[in-house]
């Protein structure tokens, strides 16, 4: 496939190379002897991995992608992946349940900003969890109203099999359970209770109504949305700062044989620290925290 694409000038993409690091030396050898067409382009996608060959990494133009933070951006990404037909072919109740799922998904993901107070560790809540939750809503919908919906079944599946299946801390599991009970209930569906101070569900199955609702959410999240105290930002900044200092101390304590300059190694060590420092700086400037 690689040789054929190189000869014909096609574009080729190899995805998730962190899963096949043992094969990457073979890829390096193939690229070394390759005589490609001038229009040929090879795209490689990977997550950070210690065994990724530094020579292959050095020969590539590197692009790093990180999803923008915040509940609003999270909801917008979710709805970009959902089609209008997904809403319009169902009932208003089903559309409301989809929005609650998207809100719940964004809350548990963005709460990771406040580790270790938000969650005790970083949990890999993913798009697969969101997709599984939508499938469960489709199956349990019943007659398309809150009275016939199987709430207990939804609680059990989300808590034990999907989102809760990633959690190994009892206190974190209690937080997840509290979110489920607060968001997924008849009072929220009926409009008697809000998801937060700013969110009241529309009784509609039009995706435009929900996109308009999302557009009104502030770009910057308040800790109160997650049920956290307002002063938690300072605690998180102190924690992140301690990580930076700890990392710097490890660099200072390096042995003599490690002092020799190795560009890839130093980039690997310093990259997360610089990224974390820039994140702290942005939080201070955006929120005006002294």
């Amino acid at each position: 496939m690689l040789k054929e694409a190189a000869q014909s000038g096609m574009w080729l993409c190899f995805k998730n190379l962190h899963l096949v690091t043992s094969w990457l030396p073979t890829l390096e050898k193939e690229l070394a002897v390759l005589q490609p067409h001038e229009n040929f382009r090879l795209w490689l996608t990977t997550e950070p991995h210690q065994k990724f060959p530094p020579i292959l990494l050095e020969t590539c133009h590197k692009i790093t992608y990180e999803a923008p933070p915040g509940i609003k951006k999270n909801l917008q990404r979710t709805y970009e992946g959902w089609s209008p037909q997904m809403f319009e072919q169902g009932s208003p109740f089903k559309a409301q349940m989809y929005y609650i799922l998207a809100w719940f998904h964004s809350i548990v993901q963005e709460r990771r900003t406040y580790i270790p107070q938000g969650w005790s560790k970083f949990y890999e809540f993913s798009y697969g969890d969101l997709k599984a939750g939508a499938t469960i809503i489709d199956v349990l919908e019943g007659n398309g109203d809150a009275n016939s919906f199987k709430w207990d079944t939804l609680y059990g599946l989300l808590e034990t099999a999907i989102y809760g299946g990633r959690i190994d801390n009892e206190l974190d599991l209690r937080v997840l359970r509290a979110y489920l009970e607060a968001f997924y209930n008849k009072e929220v569906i009926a409009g008697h209770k809000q998801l937060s101070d700013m969110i009241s569900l529309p009784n509609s199955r039009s995706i435009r109504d929900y996109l308009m609702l999302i557009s009104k959410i502030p770009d910057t999240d308040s800790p109160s949305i997650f049920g956290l105290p307002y002063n938690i930002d300072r605690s998180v900044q102190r924690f992140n700062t301690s990580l930076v200092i700890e990392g710097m101390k490890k660099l200072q304590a390096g042995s003599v044989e490690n002092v020799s300059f190795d560009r890839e190694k130093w980039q690997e060590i310093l990259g997360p620290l610089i990224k974390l420092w820039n994140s702290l700086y942005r939080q201070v400037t955006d929120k005006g925290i002294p």
Side-chain angles (χ1 to χ4, degrees):
M1 181 185 297
L2 176 62
K3 293 181 179 178
E4 180 182 350
Q7 292 173 358
S8 59
M10 297 173 60
W11 286 27
L12 181 64
C13 179
F14 290 152
K15 301 172 66 176
N16 299 323
L17 293 186
H18 58 282
L19 302 177
V20 288
T21 53
S22 60
W23 172 76
L24 294 181
T26 304
L27 177 61
E28 282 186 284
K29 294 178 182 178
E30 291 292 333
L31 293 176
V33 300
L34 203 62
Q35 296 181 352
H37 188 278
E38 61 178 4
N39 293 330
F40 171 69
R41 297 292 185 274
L42 177 63
W43 292 78
L44 309 176
T45 69
T46 181
E47 294 180 5
H49 199 285
Q50 293 182 350
K51 295 184 178 181
F52 197 95
I55 297 178
L56 178 60
L57 187 65
E58 181 64 25
T59 58
C60 297
H61 294 289
K62 292 167 282 292
I63 301 174
T64 302
Y65 172 76
E66 182 178 359
I71 290 177
K72 181 177 182 178
K73 297 296 184 183
N74 198 307
L75 288 170
Q76 288 174 339
R77 288 196 300 274
T78 296
Y79 270 76
E80 285 175 359
W82 287 349
S83 65
Q85 292 76 18
M86 180 178 174
F87 287 76
E88 295 169 358
Q89 293 176 357
S91 62
F93 168 73
K94 189 175 182 179
Q96 290 176 318
M97 291 295 289
Y98 282 151
Y99 184 86
I100 295 176
L101 174 64
W103 177 264
F104 169 77
H105 181 76
S106 67
I107 287 289
V108 298
Q109 281 195 328
E110 299 304 322
R111 188 181 172 95
R112 296 179 301 193
T113 304
Y114 300 98
I115 292 174
Q117 287 87 353
W119 299 113
S120 63
K121 59 186 288 189
F122 189 93
Y123 294 114
E124 289 287 349
F125 301 121
S126 66
Y127 178 76
D129 300 324
L130 179 71
K131 187 175 181 181
T135 302
I136 290 174
I137 291 175
D138 293 339
V139 174
L140 300 179
E141 182 186 8
N143 298 327
D145 59 73
N147 294 324
S148 62
F149 190 81
K150 300 178 181 179
W151 296 100
D152 291 337
T153 303
L154 177 69
Y155 294 154
L157 290 173
L158 293 181
E159 180 183 342
T160 60
I162 303 177
Y163 289 91
R166 301 182 182 276
I167 296 177
D168 54 10
N169 181 285
E170 179 59 31
L171 294 178
D172 289 341
L173 198 59
R174 288 171 59 185
V175 171
L176 184 77
R177 188 180 303 119
Y179 279 146
L180 288 172
E181 294 175 354
F183 299 155
Y184 289 101
N185 60 69
K186 298 179 182 179
E187 292 183 354
V188 173
I189 295 296
H192 302 317
K193 183 179 178 182
Q194 294 182 320
L195 287 176
S196 73
D197 294 338
M198 66 192 81
I199 300 297
S200 182
L201 287 180
N203 186 20
S204 170
R205 63 179 183 181
S206 172
I207 194 172
R208 293 183 179 179
D209 293 336
Y210 295 94
L211 291 174
M212 185 175 297
L213 183 64
I214 294 172
S215 67
K216 298 178 181 178
I217 298 176
D219 293 324
T220 304
D221 297 335
S222 169
S224 62
I225 297 179
F226 306 94
L228 297 171
Y230 284 101
N231 63 349
I232 195 172
D233 281 323
R234 294 189 178 185
S235 300
V236 172
Q237 288 172 14
R238 284 195 296 267
F239 176 75
N240 290 336
T241 302
S242 67
L243 293 180
V244 173
I245 296 174
E246 182 181 352
M248 298 299 288
K249 288 181 178 179
K250 289 181 179 179
L251 291 177
Q252 187 178 9
S255 59
V256 176
E257 60 268 19
N258 292 330
V259 173
S260 59
F261 182 75
D262 185 332
R263 180 177 178 181
E264 292 296 333
K265 184 175 181 179
W266 283 95
Q267 183 177 6
E268 179 182 354
I269 295 174
L270 290 174
L273 297 177
I274 295 174
K275 182 179 178 181
L276 181 56
W277 183 263
N278 289 333
S279 176
L280 291 172
Y281 179 76
R282 286 196 301 269
Q283 291 182 23
V284 172
T285 55
D286 292 345
K287 298 182 181 181
I289 298 176

